Amino acid sequence: MLTIRLLRTGKKNQPSYKVVVTDKKNPPQGGRFVEEVGFYNPKTKEKNFAKDRITYWLSVGAQASDTVHNMLVNEKIINQPKRQIIFTKKATEKVKSETPAPAEEPKPEEPAPAEEPKPEEPAPAEEPKPEEPAPAEEPVV
């Protein structure tokens, strides 16, 4: 099955993308594609699409990825509603699923505070107690 998706090119921290028609089984990082039908530069917000080629590939059964679909809707190349894209952190979900969550102990409920707080009374002064001598330890023989 053919798909229209983004193929990242460019240096580190300088992304640019080719919009390509490729087989869905090919990896997204692979350079094998059927046809290049546009490009997108997120830094400069520059976009260029071959409208006639995109409509041709969509007519013969190619499916656009969610991101490309939304870009084509913005450029008014296709007249369909946008797709909702949900980003998830797969790595953190895997870690959470592998380690069991600690059982939470129920916390005792704190009593509600009284409606009228009592004025604080000064604490009574405690008299120092005389120290008692510690009992002598017996030597170990």
Side-chain angles (χ1 to χ4, degrees):
M1 179 174 153
L2 292 176
T3 184
I4 302 173
R5 65 180 175 202
L6 298 174
L7 174 71
R8 184 184 163 130
T9 59
K11 297 179 186 178
K12 182 177 178 182
N13 295 326
Q14 296 178 357
S16 62
Y17 297 92
K18 293 180 181 180
V19 181
V20 297
V21 179
T22 183
D23 188 11
K24 190 168 184 132
K25 294 177 186 176
N26 290 343
Q29 296 83 7
R32 298 181 60 197
F33 53 87
V34 178
E35 184 178 352
E36 181 180 344
V37 293
F39 74 90
Y40 169 61
N41 187 343
K43 291 276 191 175
T44 61
K45 306 293 186 217
E46 187 179 1
K47 299 175 191 172
N48 187 8
F49 300 109
K51 181 178 179 178
D52 57 336
R53 296 306 297 163
I54 291 173
T55 54
Y56 166 76
W57 284 112
L58 290 173
S59 68
V60 295
Q63 298 290 318
S65 69
D66 293 340
T67 303
V68 172
H69 177 86
N70 291 343
M71 292 169 77
L72 296 176
V73 170
N74 284 343
E75 296 294 317
K76 296 184 174 48
I77 294 175
I78 57 176
N79 188 14
Q80 294 177 359
K82 282 189 170 184
R83 296 180 189 167
Q84 183 178 7
I85 302 173
I86 300 173
F87 295 101
T88 59
K89 295 185 178 180
K90 294 180 181 178
T92 57
E93 289 176 0
K94 287 181 182 179
V95 171
K96 287 181 182 178
S97 65
E98 290 174 1
T99 57
E104 294 184 19
E105 297 178 10
K107 296 181 181 178
E109 295 183 15
E110 297 180 13
E115 293 178 8
E116 296 180 18
K118 296 179 181 178
E120 294 184 21
E121 297 178 7
E126 294 183 17
E127 297 179 13
K129 296 181 181 179
E131 292 185 22
E132 297 179 13
E137 295 182 13
E138 297 179 20
V140 179
V141 181

